[in-house]
Amino acid sequence: GLKEEAIRRGIRAETVESALAGVRPLPEVIKRDRSQREFTLTFTRYMRGAVTEARVEKARKLLEENRALLEKVAAQYGVQPRFLVSFWGLESNFGQHTGGHSVVSALATLAHEGRRHDFFRAQLLDALQILDEGHISVGEMTGSWAGAMGQLQFIPSTFVNFAVDYDGDGHRDIWHSLPDIFASAANYLSQEGWQGDRTWGRQVTLPDGFDYSLASLGIKKPLAEWADSHGLRGLDGGALPRVAGVEASLVLPAGQRGPAFLVYQNFRTTLVWNRSILYALSVGHLADRIGGVPALSAASLPDEQPLSLKSIEEMQALLNAKGYDAGKPDGLVGPQTRAALRAYQGAQGLPADGYPTQELIERLRQG
């Protein structure tokens, strides 16, 4: 049925047969898809792993080595070189870790066996289209266990929509060609709303008595309002920049005990690439470090106790039982769970940051 659908889409029969010849389920892919992380990632642990001194040093070196190309791409697409290098570094460690799985086999396995078979079937059809257009051979189309490809870890649909043949050789090659890699990343970001004359955000300080319920991506305010009405200052205590037309949201990745960041449009565009707030913060911070900004202070990397997914499920169930709608207990702290947690915190006279901690779970258990 898949072969017939691919041919109906205009993919040549010989491509379909060649790509799918001998395809069998990959046990490792099934295992990875079915496995669930036991603990949540904390901000501190994530940032220490993502933005290391070695990665910063390598990123600066590679930016200099590729400056002419990066600046040419930046001039065309409006994405600053330091950000392109940051995405490259975080996605594949500058091309060192792209995944060794056959993309076709991995996607075929997930389309057949996985929890999201419709999604992966669509990705497999896009992968066959990429092969049919001659951008890469079956043997060289490698990527992650989930089918994310090349040095940018694009899924096939992202490749189809955004990859660029910048070196003009007739192939959109995100596996080997740096011109294609940088231009494809820049094209993707540009089309998703990247602002080339703006940064991603900045770390800020909050005044005593701050209303933590304002810390939400669902709330956007002009920089001047954050400063004048809510008392936010720069990390050094100085005034925030007075830039007209810039709206920002406040993000507290470790709750009220951790650092605070005002984030702009480019942060939201990064979330289109990867929906993780921690990922988006690491992209921005690595880009800042490439540009010479100091590392996060020790005070900005608080000791956090990682919570087990079972603990979060219990927290969600307890919130529901107390009348705070956290949604179906699934171990994932999404907007609905955070809203429920904020409502509970507010009712308890606690800072309503919506951030789950073991102390809060213990309080919920005790009634």
Side-chain angles (χ1 to χ4, degrees), residues 70-83:
L70 286 161
E71 290 184 348
K72 182 182 177 184
V73 169
Q76 180 169 343
Y77 293 99
V79 182
Q80 305 93 314
R82 64 191 178 98
F83 284 100

Side-chain angles (χ1 to χ4, degrees), residues 232-240:
L232 271 64
R233 310 284 290 178
L235 185 59
D236 60 359
L240 294 176

Side-chain angles (χ1 to χ4, degrees), residues 128-257:
L128 294 175
Q129 178 181 329
I130 293 164
L131 292 168
D132 197 49
E133 292 174 356
H135 299 297
I136 197 76
S137 69
V138 176
E140 289 183 302
M141 184 183 261
T142 56
S144 74
W145 67 268
M149 309 183 302
Q151 297 193 33
L152 298 175
Q153 293 293 277
F154 277 5
I155 59 175
S157 59
T158 302
F159 182 104
V160 168
N161 290 320
F162 301 107
V164 173
D165 174 21
Y166 201 70
D167 61 14
D169 68 352
H171 308 290
R172 293 185 282 169
D173 184 358
I174 61 169
W175 291 265
H176 312 107
S177 168
L178 285 183
D180 291 6
I181 288 164
F182 295 145
S184 296
N187 183 49
Y188 183 20
L189 293 167
S190 177
Q191 292 201 47
E192 294 293 350
W194 191 271
Q195 297 177 339
D197 58 346
R198 296 281 188 265
T199 188
W200 66 277
R202 66 184 64 247
Q203 191 175 354
V204 294
T205 56
L206 308 179
D208 292 339
F210 180 76
D211 179 4
Y212 287 100
S213 68
L214 296 172
S216 168
L217 285 173
I219 297 173
K220 291 198 288 188
K221 297 176 180 289
L223 281 175
E225 186 173 340
W226 282 116
D228 299 341
S229 300
H230 302 290
L232 271 64
R233 310 284 290 178
L235 185 59
D236 60 359
L240 294 176
R242 314 291 288 195
V243 183
V246 175
E247 289 192 320
S249 298
L250 185 66
V251 171
L252 303 175
Q256 53 99 12
R257 299 175 184 174

Side-chain angles (χ1 to χ4, degrees), residues 42-48 200 202-207 210 212 215-216 232-235 249-263 267 277-278 281-282 285 295-304 338 342 353 355:
T42 67
F43 169 75
T44 296
R45 183 173 180 181
Y46 192 102
M47 292 298 286
R48 284 178 173 165
W200 66 277
R202 66 184 64 247
Q203 191 175 354
V204 294
T205 56
L206 308 179
F210 180 76
Y212 287 100
S216 168
L232 271 64
R233 310 284 290 178
L235 185 59
S249 298
L250 185 66
V251 171
L252 303 175
Q256 53 99 12
R257 299 175 184 174
F261 299 90
L262 278 181
V263 297
F267 183 90
I277 287 175
L278 298 184
L281 287 169
S282 68
H285 184 53
L296 292 171
S297 67
S300 298
L301 296 170
D303 289 332
E304 300 173 84
R338 290 193 186 281
R342 279 198 175 97
D353 61 2
Y355 187 75

